[in-house]
């Protein structure tokens, strides 16, 4: 009999940032494979609607935990709320940025909130939920990161830095935990067709259709299914790449040239999101 998601990792999964977009796609993918899910996000109405949809379509148990993952006590609260569950898969998908902006054009509190959500959050989640996985000898952690992690770039200072943190954290944990039965995957995404991307574009005065050719945007369902199929193929999976387990697309470029190339890309595509 083929190994299932639950037999390999455990009966429950958590999706941080699970109300819509890539996070919701992960939750549906996990549920379709028989895993019960905990959805974590800030907006209770959207969270509950997503949970009801998953229950109706897949017949699994679903819990919701309404949290702002940038709040200092968020991961402690999530740990308490799920203390009775054996969590075998944790997907940290929160942490998109609604638009690329010059560093000094965002206030300091906005930058610090991003760092708490994108760096402190995944580190604490990995520590709190990874420890029981390591003790049991099975489990998986997915940290969703971005192509902005490959190099610095104008208008991407804080966002790119936090996503580089996530990428290195995932790769390092993979190296530490791989021999003990715990898979870790740093999932690198480009621009993805999500509600947050659409909202960001409309807020700046343009219809979604003008954003890009639909073929330029990744489909959240395909992103999630591909990642779930390759949880054991870490440390890094680059969605949409011809060599998804390969290295930076900048290859052997000098760092200065990579930064200039990233800056040109940020200027051409000024609105970015990963979830």
């Amino acid at each position: 009999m083929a190994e299932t998601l639950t037999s390999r990792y455990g009966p429950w999964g958590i999706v941080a940032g699970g109300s819509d977009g890539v996070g919701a796609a992960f939750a549906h993918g996990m549920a379709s494979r028989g895993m019960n899910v905990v959805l974590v996000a800030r907006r209770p109405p959207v969270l509950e609607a997503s949970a009801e949809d998953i229950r109706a379509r897949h017949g699994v148990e679903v819990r919701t935990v309404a949290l702002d993952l940038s709040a200092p006590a968020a991961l402690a609260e999530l740990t308490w709320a799920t203390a009775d569950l054996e969590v075998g898969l944790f997907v940290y998908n929160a942490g998109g940025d609604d638009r690329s902006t010059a560093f000094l054009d965002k206030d300091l509190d906005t930058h610090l909130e991003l760092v708490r959500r994108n760096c402190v959050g995944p580190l604490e989640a990995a520590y709190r939920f990874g420890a029981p996985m390591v003790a049991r000898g099975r489990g998986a952690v997915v940290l969703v990161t971005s192509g902005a992690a490959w190099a610095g770039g104008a208008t991407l200072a804080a966002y790119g830095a936090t996503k580089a943190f996530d990428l290195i954290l995932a790769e390092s944990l993979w190296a530490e935990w791989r021999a003990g039965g715990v898979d870790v995957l740093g999932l690198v995404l480009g621009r993805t067709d999500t509600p947050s991307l659409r909202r960001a574009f409309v807020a700046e005065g343009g219809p979604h259709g003008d954003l890009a050719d639909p073929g330029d945007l990744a489909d959240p369902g395909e992103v999630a299914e591909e990642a779930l199929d390759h949880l054991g193929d870490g440390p890094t999976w680059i969605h949409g790449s011809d060599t998804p387990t390969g290295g930076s697309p900048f290859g052997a470029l000098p760092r200065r040239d990579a930064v200039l190339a990233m800056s040109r890309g940020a200027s051409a595509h000024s609105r970015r999101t990963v979830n």
Side-chain angles (χ1 to χ4, degrees):
M1 181 178 177
E3 189 176 40
T4 66
L5 196 66
T6 54
S7 65
R8 180 169 180 176
Y9 298 118
W12 281 88
I14 295 178
V15 183
S19 57
D20 60 20
V22 172
F26 262 107
H28 278 282
M30 292 152 64
S32 71
R33 300 172 190 225
M35 182 172 273
N36 304 311
V37 292
V38 179
L39 303 179
V40 185
R42 287 182 293 183
R43 297 172 292 161
V46 180
L47 199 58
E48 292 299 334
S50 183
E52 284 301 319
D53 186 33
I54 291 169
R55 292 186 190 104
R57 290 174 59 182
H58 306 295
V60 299
E61 293 184 60
V62 184
R63 288 190 188 179
T64 61
V65 182
L67 285 175
D68 179 352
L69 289 164
S70 65
L75 268 299
E77 291 181 34
L78 181 58
T79 303
W80 178 84
T82 58
D84 60 322
L85 306 179
E86 181 184 334
V87 177
L89 172 58
F90 195 109
V91 178
Y92 197 100
N93 173 66
D97 194 14
D98 56 0
R99 61 195 177 96
S100 300
T101 304
F103 181 70
L104 294 178
D105 287 347
K106 284 189 178 180
D107 61 70
L108 180 58
D109 286 343
T110 299
H111 288 309
L112 294 176
E113 180 180 315
L114 186 70
V115 170
R116 287 191 292 268
R117 188 169 64 249
N118 283 18
C119 299
V120 177
L123 186 149
E124 189 173 351
Y127 193 93
R128 289 181 178 275
F129 290 92
M133 295 178 190
V134 171
R136 288 193 299 266
R138 68 171 186 167
V141 174
V142 178
L143 301 184
V144 179
T145 181
S146 164
W150 296 129
T155 76
L156 294 172
Y159 177 68
T162 63
K163 288 304 179 179
F165 180 96
D166 295 341
L167 181 63
I168 298 302
L169 177 63
E171 291 177 339
S172 300
L173 293 178
W174 173 86
E176 290 190 20
W177 295 350
R178 59 191 292 262
V182 178
D183 294 325
V184 182
L185 191 70
L187 176 61
V188 183
L189 300 187
R191 296 195 310 156
T192 304
D193 189 3
T194 64
S196 56
L197 184 66
R198 297 182 183 212
R199 286 192 298 268
F201 191 67
V202 170
E204 294 191 10
H208 172 257
D210 289 348
L211 178 59
D213 185 298
D216 293 338
L217 304 178
D219 176 78
E222 293 178 2
V223 166
E225 287 300 316
E226 186 175 284
L228 291 171
D229 285 341
H230 294 280
L231 291 173
D233 294 327
T236 309
W237 189 269
I238 309 166
H239 181 78
S241 171
D242 292 336
T243 54
T245 59
S248 165
F250 294 117
L253 273 181
R255 293 298 297 178
R256 174 180 289 191
D257 292 343
V259 169
L260 291 174
M262 181 68 81
S263 299
R264 288 192 294 271
S267 177
H269 301 293
S270 61
R271 303 162 188 89
R272 292 170 179 268
T273 186
V274 298
N275 54 0

